[in-house]
Amino acid sequence: MAHINQNFLKLPGGYLFPEIGRRVQAFSAQNPPKPLIRLGIGDVTQPLAPAVIDAMGKAVEEMGRKDTFRGYCEEICCAYDFLRFAIQDSYKANGVLIADDEIFVSDGAKSDCGSIGDIFGLDNVVAVCDPVYPVYVDTNAMAGRAGEYDGEKWTELVYLSCTAENGFFPALPKEKIPDLIYICSPNNPTGAAATKEQLQAWVDYANAHGSVILYDSAYEAFITEPGIPHSIFEIGGAKTCAIEFRSFSKTAGFTGTRCAYTVIPKELVRDGVSLNALWNRRQGSKFNGVSYIVQRAAEATFTQEGQKQIKETIGFYLNNAKVIKDGLRRAGLTVYGGVNAPYIWVKTPDGISSWEFFDVLLKKACVVTTPGAGFGPSGEGYVRLTAFGEAEATAEAIDRIREVL
């Protein structure tokens, strides 16, 4: 008889965002007084850049001709040279030298953040920032690294508390030494961005203890303040202790197009084995690459015209973030983020819980947010709003919230 992975049965409820969807659907069935405005799930609303559409169109035409048709991608790391070289040049423009065969193109940073555990043993101690993007926690729980869920935390995970008091960036652990350390900057959900000094401390720690930093840099394109690193590899010593995940989803609107990349330096070795080689072996067995059409689309984001167009879209979202942040502050709420990230982290009023405030905003203002408790214990007492809505709807949502507070 076949047996299931018992670790799946330990997972509490459903994944956060489907749970929000179920609650919103139930409320919608009750004929709410106003149309819902969704500022909860971080999905983009603006269309793909013209340069991207043009590149996709040309690629489609190529796929329709015998002399330019392409089947399986047989190039390095399941990625075409043109995209790997474009990514490599983008790093070089920021002073970071990455070899082209250290770049692995995939269908999403979420996939890679979840699948990277395949190359690590189950006995590794995992540390996650708290609050945290749920994928890091859930995928390690599925693999069996998280222990048991006690109703608030997983017993074997190291929770790195990120609070207003420490600027939403964790201190180095003083007791249990983690082997795998997830860091997201700019952070989802808090919107905080780490400084070079903060990251240097973690790189030094990881190198000293043989740990590996799993660095989620999916929102680096939203950084506006000078001096904030866009890549972990801007930090001295990072190539011997860090893996970096990046995505075109929020940067260029690829949430429905699907493309991302992971950088694993060849200097990164554990147990005498290259992690670059292990990931290449894993991908070769479990992944057939991103389509030629999508890789051409991704390449177009690095062109001069493509960069100009996607920066305009990012500016649109950052303006939404400013509208949200300024409006909620005028409403008397304590607000964080929204400067180097598309996320606004809002403290709930009067000490009410995250889900209670979620319900207030849903049922009284008809605005969908994300309860902070869904991101971990330290997320309790907060909600997250995203800046990915339409400008008029975003402004109206803030007006509605101010009316009900």
Side-chain angles (χ1 to χ4, degrees), residues 77-79 83 87 103-107 259-261 283 287 290 295:
C77 305
C78 295
L83 181 53
I87 294 169
I103 300 164
F104 297 84
V105 173
S106 73
D107 62 354
C259 196
Y261 53 98
Q283 293 296 81
F287 186 63
V290 175
Q295 291 199 46

Side-chain angles (χ1 to χ4, degrees), residues 180-331:
L180 304 177
I181 304 162
Y182 285 85
I183 296 177
C184 177
S185 180
N187 185 265
N188 176 15
T190 68
T195 65
K196 287 185 177 180
E197 292 75 19
Q198 288 172 323
L199 291 178
Q200 187 69 67
W202 276 101
V203 166
D204 293 344
Y205 177 92
N207 279 321
H209 295 286
S211 308
V212 175
I213 295 172
L214 304 174
Y215 191 75
D216 187 348
S217 185
Y219 301 99
E220 60 83 23
F222 289 83
I223 293 173
T224 61
E225 293 181 318
I228 299 295
H230 289 248
S231 169
I232 189 71
F233 300 120
E234 295 177 39
I235 310 303
K239 287 188 177 181
T240 55
C241 70
I243 294 171
E244 180 161 284
F245 307 96
R246 286 203 182 178
S247 173
F248 295 95
S249 286
K250 311 301 167 56
T251 301
F254 276 44
T255 55
T257 306
R258 309 309 305 149
C259 196
Y261 53 98
T262 293
V263 177
I264 307 183
K266 284 175 283 190
E267 294 100 311
L268 180 51
V269 175
R270 292 295 181 269
D271 291 334
V273 179
S274 163
L275 298 191
N276 178 287
L278 284 184
W279 186 245
N280 193 32
R281 182 68 177 85
R282 187 268 180 200
Q283 293 296 81
S285 295
K286 290 191 173 185
F287 186 63
N288 269 335
V290 175
S291 76
Y292 172 74
I293 295 166
V294 170
Q295 291 199 46
R296 278 297 188 192
E299 178 198 22
T301 69
F302 294 106
T303 65
Q304 184 175 358
E305 191 61 24
Q307 283 289 293
K308 176 177 178 292
Q309 292 167 359
I310 64 174
K311 285 178 180 178
E312 288 174 355
T313 301
I314 289 171
F316 173 89
Y317 293 135
L318 285 172
N319 186 67
N320 280 349
K322 186 176 187 304
V323 169
I324 295 170
K325 188 168 187 174
D326 291 348
L328 295 183
R329 279 182 170 171
R330 286 196 298 271

